[in-house]
Amino acid sequence: MNAPTKAAVIDREIWTGAGEALLADTIALRRAIHEDPELGLDCPRTTEKIKAALAGLPLEFREGPSTTGLIAILRGSTNARTVLLRGDMDALPLEEDTGLAFRSRNDGAMHACGHDTHVAMLVGAAKALCAERERLAGTVVFMFQPGEEGWHGARFMMEDGLLDDPRPDAAFALHITPNLPNGTFASRTGPLLASADQVRITVRGAGGHAAMPHDARDPIPVACEIVTALQSLITRRISVYDPAVLTIAKIESGTTFNVIPESALMLGTIRTLSEATRETVHEGIRRVVEHVAAAHGLVGETEIDRGFPVTVCDGRIVALAEQTVQAVFGAEAWRTMPTPMMGAEDFAYVLQKIPGAMAFLGATPEGGDFRTCCALHSNRMVLSEEVMAKGVALHCAFAQAFLNGDAVV
Ligand code: NI
């Protein structure tokens, strides 16, 4: 393991004490955001709640123009180095079914990915770090970011120049999850989450009578053959050591039992753990679709919508996060993940430019089992709110460890 050589400076009691002292406020803010979820790049009411919670603190603010994201900057005792802490803000388009007293009041929107807790923990960290700013040998940039759920919010905020001045030297984010033991943190060096692209395949033939297929160009058997050929592409052309997932999740064609339709449409998702494999899969899909269709005298078309890139964690920052978690909460609180997960995350854009890491934080609800309780993105997903005290403390301790410790980056 490539751990930093010198022990980082971490005021353990100060940060854990602050996390506990701020817990009631953190829970209140989380609930206010939870019952008023917003979608996409425009989350103005959430931004207002953040600004209200940070009012009066010694922070500089930057925002706009592409999103309602907010940057808050805290200057410590020197400006030697800068660390970025990020929390995403947006909810998911689904109907909540948790029965919580503070459940969503907005039809068709729910904080089912825990971003409400990410905002609340980051606000708590901002309050705690402002109160102890003299302890920080550097600058902290708090990034409140909307549009994580497929909207590229992190990329837009970077294109808006919001991370240019001051330019962070390291970046860190927490993602809460009910599917890890309470209070444990988990991450890994290298790929943590996958790239996620959408593919749309159209097979164009010629319609006709279902009893006389030789007079038509039936797209349905060709579409089925393409689905099978694409799975051969994944198992025969892609290394098992740098894997890919390709799922055709929707097939649409035809109207009734005795008509051959003119075309078939297929939608799917492509997940990879490296840019090289991502390009190989894209190129392979185009080739297979075109040529399998052509072999039968039909036309196959492929459109690929590029989503988030691979989320890659820097080994030095993961090592510092591990060291920080163990210093604050004990050795048992850290887990090195044996494998990546094939979900995706737009913090990947930040990590392409700034060395950093994301860590998961276990928050299984009371009485639940982390192995079986409802996962992120479920309409019944609930979390332990008490764990947010640890998230606040870890954000603070990580920032101090990076700014005051040995230079790891
Ligand atoms: Ni999320």
Side-chain angles (χ1 to χ4, degrees):
M1 187 182 309
N2 52 347
T5 49
K6 268 200 301 197
V9 177
I10 298 171
D11 287 315
R12 175 179 179 278
E13 271 100 48
I14 287 175
W15 306 129
T16 54
E20 293 298 335
L22 289 164
L23 182 59
D25 284 355
T26 305
I27 290 175
L29 177 59
R30 184 263 167 152
R31 291 183 178 190
I33 294 169
H34 189 90
E35 65 179 10
D36 187 14
E38 298 178 282
L39 304 176
L41 297 170
D42 290 312
C43 302
R45 297 188 303 278
T46 307
T47 308
E48 285 312 309
K49 291 180 182 76
I50 295 167
K51 285 182 179 172
L54 298 179
L57 295 176
L59 296 165
E60 296 163 35
F61 294 101
R62 310 250 161 92
E63 53 191 313
S66 304
T67 77
T68 57
L70 181 71
I71 297 290
I73 299 164
L74 169 63
R75 312 264 181 197
S77 60
T78 77
N79 59 3
R81 308 172 82 194
T82 298
V83 63
L84 178 146
L85 303 174
R86 175 269 205 171
D88 42 7
M89 296 162 59
D90 57 322
L92 281 159
L94 59 98
E95 214 61 59
E96 179 161 353
D97 186 21
T98 60
L100 292 170
F102 54 92
R103 64 184 171 273
S104 171
R105 287 188 279 103
N106 304 342
D107 290 344
M110 172 189 175
H111 270 291
C113 197
H115 300 184
D116 49 346
T117 68
H118 301 171
V119 170
M121 290 190 290
L122 199 56
V123 165
K127 290 177 180 174
L129 288 166
C130 283
E132 303 289 344
R133 64 194 291 200
E134 297 308 319
R135 294 178 188 277
L136 302 174
T139 302
V140 186
V141 171
F142 302 92
M143 179 183 188
F144 296 94
Q145 177 226 304
E148 191 284 321
E149 298 289 355
W151 299 85
H152 306 264
R155 175 160 66 78
F156 283 116
M157 287 183 74
M158 293 175 81
E159 287 172 359
D160 285 344
L162 293 173
L163 300 186
D164 289 349
D165 179 29
R167 177 89 183 157
D169 301 297
F172 184 72
L174 281 176
H175 202 305
I176 210 158
T177 171
N179 298 117
L180 266 181
N182 252 7
T184 56
F185 295 83
S187 186
R188 72 191 305 276
T189 293
L192 177 73
L193 293 160
S195 64
D197 303 318
Q198 297 180 352
V199 61
R200 179 188 180 93
I201 297 166
T202 309
V203 181
R204 296 190 197 282
H209 198 296
M212 286 159 272
H214 58 283
D215 289 331
R217 286 280 185 275
D218 188 352
I220 289 181
V222 177
C224 294
E225 216 172 300
I226 287 172
V227 173
T228 309
L230 290 176
Q231 294 313 312
S232 294
L233 168 76
I234 297 300
T235 64
R236 304 295 88 183
R237 300 304 311 149
I238 304 301
S239 164
V240 292
Y241 304 110
D242 187 4
V245 169
L246 169 58
T247 296
I248 298 298
K250 176 173 178 168
I251 302 182
E252 193 176 272
S253 186
T255 54
T256 187
F257 58 89
N258 59 356
V259 173
I260 290 174
E262 194 169 280
S263 65
L265 173 70
M266 296 184 277
L267 304 181
T269 190
I270 306 161
R271 307 289 168 124
T272 70
L273 297 173
S274 76
E275 287 300 316
T277 290
R278 189 183 192 187
E279 296 312 318
T280 303
V281 173
H282 288 192
E283 189 270 323
I285 292 173
R286 292 183 202 282
R287 190 178 65 242
V288 164
V289 169
E290 181 187 343
H291 292 284
V292 171
H296 297 287
L298 284 78
V299 174
E301 293 165 3
T302 303
E303 292 164 68
I304 295 173
D305 191 2
R306 293 176 78 87
F308 301 161
V310 185
T311 299
V312 181
C313 296
D314 186 287
R316 298 161 297 181
I317 304 299
V318 173
L320 185 64
E322 174 178 3
Q323 188 184 336
T324 306
V325 166
Q326 292 183 337
V328 177
F329 301 112
E332 292 302 302
W334 177 264
R335 295 190 173 195
T336 297
M337 291 165 61
T339 62
M341 292 165 62
M342 300 309 275
E345 163 64 62
D346 82 343
F347 192 52
Y349 290 114
V350 176
L351 298 186
Q352 281 184 330
K353 301 277 168 118
I354 301 167
M358 167 174 272
F360 292 100
L361 168 57
T364 315
E366 202 177 330
D369 181 332
F370 74 92
R371 285 161 292 227
T372 55
C373 63
C374 287
L376 296 175
H377 291 212
S378 160
N379 60 342
R380 298 187 182 189
M381 199 278 298
V382 286
L383 295 162
S384 159
E385 294 182 307
E386 284 67 35
V387 166
M388 290 193 290
K390 294 191 173 184
V392 169
L394 197 270
H395 270 313
C396 296
F398 178 84
Q400 186 189 32
F402 179 77
L403 295 177
N404 298 36
D406 196 19
V408 294
V409 174

